[in-house]
Amino acid sequence: MSTPVRKRNRVRTGALALTAVAALALGTAATAGASGATDAEAAPAPAAAAAKDGPTSVAYVEVNNHSMRNVGKYTLADGDNVFDVAVIFAANINYDTNSKSAYLHFNENVQRVLDNADTEIRPLQEQGIKVVLSVLGNHEGAGFANFPSKEAASAFAKEMSDTVAEYGLDGIDFDDEYADYGNNGTGQPNDSSFVHLVTALRANLPDKIISLYNIGPAASRLSYGGVDVSGKFDYAWNPYYGTWQVPGIGLPKSQLSPAAVEIGRTSQSTVGSLAGRTISEGYGVFLTYNLDGNDRSADVSAFTRELYGSDAVYTP
């Protein structure tokens, strides 16, 4: 079955095959190791972001082109937020050829959002919307799945958790695309890398959201040495817009989004159908991508009517 083209910061002309992933969460418990905790212990669940009944709605925002503030412009008829989680898309995992190590990079648009947290991030959080930073490959050979050692993975985890603390964010989202593993003499994906990375990040962020987009080599390497990090994520979702695919990960339905839509590109009829299926089959997350600055209330209402029994109200 063919999958739709996704437009991101960087052009991608074809869809990829299905992979297993992990998850992003709001208001639901995820099993995770806090600092000093064992793998079997449960991490505290992130606090609920909104009072409304129904699935958690997630909005990715391409900050190269659009403002994070757009996420807060949509409410239901009773005033509740439409969106519960806003994802800053995207920071990058880059590679320093001198030190031969990965590092966290912000382009000028991501840096602008972070530097202007008081106007771009804090207003959303004050509304009860969680704000998460997505991290994406950048064609330099560095990726989540090819750290050569536990120490290297832990160092990158610390960069991410330090960023969350510095800018007052609510978590980290992993998107293992565009790494171009092998570039700059980097290694190919290995089985231990992502397990070490997620374990270290969860230890650093016991009460924050950690999510993983269901794509790439990292998403299929969630277990190593008797440790399975699936439960250290908070939610998981299908990455192919306009389709229904249940993420193959051991999380409850409340933390999964088999539906994925691109606002303004996925037809409203398909959006409504996927939202209705989310409810009828008992899943707890609904993923949307590319919320822009236009009035998208008709597109948004196509899923809010099914998820929450209400049209969406847009307030410029």
Side-chain angles (χ1 to χ4, degrees), residues 32-52:
S35 299
T38 66
D39 294 326
E41 292 174 343
K52 71 175 187 280

PDB file of all heavy atoms in Angstrom, residues 32-52:
ATOM      1  N   ALA A  32       8.826   4.061  33.388  1.00  0.00           N
ATOM      2  CA  ALA A  32      10.096   4.671  33.069  1.00  0.00           C
ATOM      3  C   ALA A  32      10.983   4.678  34.284  1.00  0.00           C
ATOM      4  O   ALA A  32      10.531   4.793  35.398  1.00  0.00           O
ATOM      5  CB  ALA A  32       9.885   6.092  32.578  1.00  0.00           C
ATOM      6  N   GLY A  33      12.304   4.597  34.033  1.00  0.00           N
ATOM      7  CA  GLY A  33      13.239   4.612  35.132  1.00  0.00           C
ATOM      8  C   GLY A  33      13.617   6.016  35.498  1.00  0.00           C
ATOM      9  O   GLY A  33      14.239   6.706  34.718  1.00  0.00           O
ATOM     10  N   ALA A  34      13.263   6.477  36.669  1.00  0.00           N
ATOM     11  CA  ALA A  34      13.736   7.759  37.163  1.00  0.00           C
ATOM     12  C   ALA A  34      15.173   7.600  37.612  1.00  0.00           C
ATOM     13  O   ALA A  34      15.710   6.515  37.631  1.00  0.00           O
ATOM     14  CB  ALA A  34      12.851   8.213  38.324  1.00  0.00           C
ATOM     15  N   SER A  35      15.809   8.701  37.978  1.00  0.00           N
ATOM     16  CA  SER A  35      17.199   8.637  38.418  1.00  0.00           C
ATOM     17  C   SER A  35      17.326   7.636  39.545  1.00  0.00           C
ATOM     18  O   SER A  35      16.644   7.712  40.551  1.00  0.00           O
ATOM     19  CB  SER A  35      17.663  10.015  38.880  1.00  0.00           C
ATOM     20  OG  SER A  35      17.590  10.936  37.828  1.00  0.00           O
ATOM     21  N   GLY A  36      18.204   6.642  39.326  1.00  0.00           N
ATOM     22  CA  GLY A  36      18.418   5.636  40.335  1.00  0.00           C
ATOM     23  C   GLY A  36      17.351   4.568  40.348  1.00  0.00           C
ATOM     24  O   GLY A  36      17.387   3.663  41.167  1.00  0.00           O
ATOM     25  N   ALA A  37      16.375   4.628  39.460  1.00  0.00           N
ATOM     26  CA  ALA A  37      15.294   3.657  39.461  1.00  0.00           C
ATOM     27  C   ALA A  37      15.659   2.474  38.595  1.00  0.00           C
ATOM     28  O   ALA A  37      16.479   2.550  37.704  1.00  0.00           O
ATOM     29  CB  ALA A  37      14.019   4.293  38.949  1.00  0.00           C
ATOM     30  N   THR A  38      14.998   1.356  38.842  1.00  0.00           N
ATOM     31  CA  THR A  38      15.188   0.186  38.014  1.00  0.00           C
ATOM     32  C   THR A  38      14.276   0.266  36.814  1.00  0.00           C
ATOM     33  O   THR A  38      13.337   1.047  36.764  1.00  0.00           O
ATOM     34  CB  THR A  38      14.874  -1.091  38.806  1.00  0.00           C
ATOM     35  OG1 THR A  38      13.476  -1.093  39.111  1.00  0.00           O
ATOM     36  CG2 THR A  38      15.687  -1.156  40.093  1.00  0.00           C
ATOM     37  N   ASP A  39      14.551  -0.601  35.807  1.00  0.00           N
ATOM     38  CA  ASP A  39      13.760  -0.592  34.590  1.00  0.00           C
ATOM     39  C   ASP A  39      12.307  -0.933  34.863  1.00  0.00           C
ATOM     40  O   ASP A  39      11.421  -0.547  34.107  1.00  0.00           O
ATOM     41  CB  ASP A  39      14.338  -1.579  33.582  1.00  0.00           C
ATOM     42  CG  ASP A  39      15.702  -1.141  33.111  1.00  0.00           C
ATOM     43  OD1 ASP A  39      15.926   0.069  32.995  1.00  0.00           O
ATOM     44  OD2 ASP A  39      16.538  -2.014  32.874  1.00  0.00           O
ATOM     45  N   ALA A  40      12.034  -1.663  35.924  1.00  0.00           N
ATOM     46  CA  ALA A  40      10.668  -2.105  36.192  1.00  0.00           C
ATOM     47  C   ALA A  40       9.831  -1.042  36.886  1.00  0.00           C
ATOM     48  O   ALA A  40       8.618  -1.161  36.972  1.00  0.00           O
ATOM     49  CB  ALA A  40      10.693  -3.361  37.052  1.00  0.00           C
ATOM     50  N   GLU A  41      10.477   0.030  37.380  1.00  0.00           N
ATOM     51  CA  GLU A  41       9.729   1.042  38.104  1.00  0.00           C
ATOM     52  C   GLU A  41       9.014   1.967  37.143  1.00  0.00           C
ATOM     53  O   GLU A  41       9.436   2.180  36.009  1.00  0.00           O
ATOM     54  CB  GLU A  41      10.679   1.849  38.995  1.00  0.00           C
ATOM     55  CG  GLU A  41      11.227   0.995  40.142  1.00  0.00           C
ATOM     56  CD  GLU A  41      12.276   1.749  40.927  1.00  0.00           C
ATOM     57  OE1 GLU A  41      12.804   2.745  40.426  1.00  0.00           O
ATOM     58  OE2 GLU A  41      12.568   1.330  42.053  1.00  0.00           O
ATOM     59  N   ALA A  42       7.928   2.552  37.589  1.00  0.00           N
ATOM     60  CA  ALA A  42       7.113   3.405  36.724  1.00  0.00           C
ATOM     61  C   ALA A  42       7.492   4.869  36.904  1.00  0.00           C
ATOM     62  O   ALA A  42       7.681   5.342  38.013  1.00  0.00           O
ATOM     63  CB  ALA A  42       5.632   3.220  37.049  1.00  0.00           C
ATOM     64  N   ALA A  43       7.606   5.588  35.786  1.00  0.00           N
ATOM     65  CA  ALA A  43       7.834   7.027  35.852  1.00  0.00           C
ATOM     66  C   ALA A  43       6.523   7.728  36.142  1.00  0.00           C
ATOM     67  O   ALA A  43       5.464   7.274  35.714  1.00  0.00           O
ATOM     68  CB  ALA A  43       8.389   7.526  34.518  1.00  0.00           C
ATOM     69  N   PRO A  44       6.564   8.830  36.868  1.00  0.00           N
ATOM     70  CA  PRO A  44       5.332   9.587  37.097  1.00  0.00           C
ATOM     71  C   PRO A  44       4.729  10.041  35.778  1.00  0.00           C
ATOM     72  O   PRO A  44       5.445  10.396  34.849  1.00  0.00           O
ATOM     73  CB  PRO A  44       5.808  10.794  37.923  1.00  0.00           C
ATOM     74  CG  PRO A  44       7.115  10.364  38.513  1.00  0.00           C
ATOM     75  CD  PRO A  44       7.725   9.419  37.521  1.00  0.00           C
ATOM     76  N   ALA A  45       3.418  10.020  35.687  1.00  0.00           N
ATOM     77  CA  ALA A  45       2.740  10.455  34.470  1.00  0.00           C
ATOM     78  C   ALA A  45       2.743  11.968  34.388  1.00  0.00           C
ATOM     79  O   ALA A  45       2.586  12.651  35.389  1.00  0.00           O
ATOM     80  CB  ALA A  45       1.303   9.950  34.461  1.00  0.00           C
ATOM     81  N   PRO A  46       2.930  12.524  33.173  1.00  0.00           N
ATOM     82  CA  PRO A  46       2.802  13.973  33.027  1.00  0.00           C
ATOM     83  C   PRO A  46       1.398  14.424  33.407  1.00  0.00           C
ATOM     84  O   PRO A  46       0.428  13.700  33.200  1.00  0.00           O
ATOM     85  CB  PRO A  46       3.061  14.190  31.527  1.00  0.00           C
ATOM     86  CG  PRO A  46       3.803  12.972  31.084  1.00  0.00           C
ATOM     87  CD  PRO A  46       3.296  11.861  31.937  1.00  0.00           C
ATOM     88  N   ALA A  47       1.302  15.623  33.930  1.00  0.00           N
ATOM     89  CA  ALA A  47      -0.001  16.138  34.336  1.00  0.00           C
ATOM     90  C   ALA A  47      -0.896  16.363  33.127  1.00  0.00           C
ATOM     91  O   ALA A  47      -0.427  16.671  32.045  1.00  0.00           O
ATOM     92  CB  ALA A  47       0.174  17.462  35.081  1.00  0.00           C
ATOM     93  N   ALA A  48      -2.190  16.179  33.325  1.00  0.00           N
ATOM     94  CA  ALA A  48      -3.141  16.407  32.241  1.00  0.00           C
ATOM     95  C   ALA A  48      -3.105  17.862  31.812  1.00  0.00           C
ATOM     96  O   ALA A  48      -3.037  18.765  32.628  1.00  0.00           O
ATOM     97  CB  ALA A  48      -4.550  16.031  32.690  1.00  0.00           C
ATOM     98  N   ALA A  49      -3.160  18.092  30.489  1.00  0.00           N
ATOM     99  CA  ALA A  49      -3.040  19.456  29.974  1.00  0.00           C
ATOM    100  C   ALA A  49      -4.384  20.134  29.792  1.00  0.00           C
ATOM    101  O   ALA A  49      -4.447  21.324  29.616  1.00  0.00           O
ATOM    102  CB  ALA A  49      -2.300  19.436  28.645  1.00  0.00           C
ATOM    103  N   ALA A  50      -5.455  19.382  29.775  1.00  0.00           N
ATOM    104  CA  ALA A  50      -6.749  20.004  29.516  1.00  0.00           C
ATOM    105  C   ALA A  50      -7.828  19.219  30.221  1.00  0.00           C
ATOM    106  O   ALA A  50      -7.672  18.056  30.533  1.00  0.00           O
ATOM    107  CB  ALA A  50      -7.011  20.060  28.022  1.00  0.00           C
ATOM    108  N   ALA A  51      -8.949  19.901  30.469  1.00  0.00           N
ATOM    109  CA  ALA A  51     -10.028  19.280  31.226  1.00  0.00           C
ATOM    110  C   ALA A  51     -10.978  18.490  30.343  1.00  0.00           C
ATOM    111  O   ALA A  51     -11.818  17.759  30.840  1.00  0.00           O
ATOM    112  CB  ALA A  51     -10.810  20.364  31.971  1.00  0.00           C
ATOM    113  N   LYS A  52     -10.874  18.626  29.043  1.00  0.00           N
ATOM    114  CA  LYS A  52     -11.843  18.000  28.153  1.00  0.00           C
ATOM    115  C   LYS A  52     -11.759  16.481  28.191  1.00  0.00           C
ATOM    116  O   LYS A  52     -10.704  15.901  28.468  1.00  0.00           O
ATOM    117  CB  LYS A  52     -11.652  18.491  26.722  1.00  0.00           C
ATOM    118  CG  LYS A  52     -10.392  17.996  26.028  1.00  0.00           C
ATOM    119  CD  LYS A  52     -10.383  18.454  24.569  1.00  0.00           C
ATOM    120  CE  LYS A  52      -9.232  17.841  23.795  1.00  0.00           C
ATOM    121  NZ  LYS A  52      -7.973  18.514  24.032  1.00  0.00           N
TER     122      LYS A  52
END
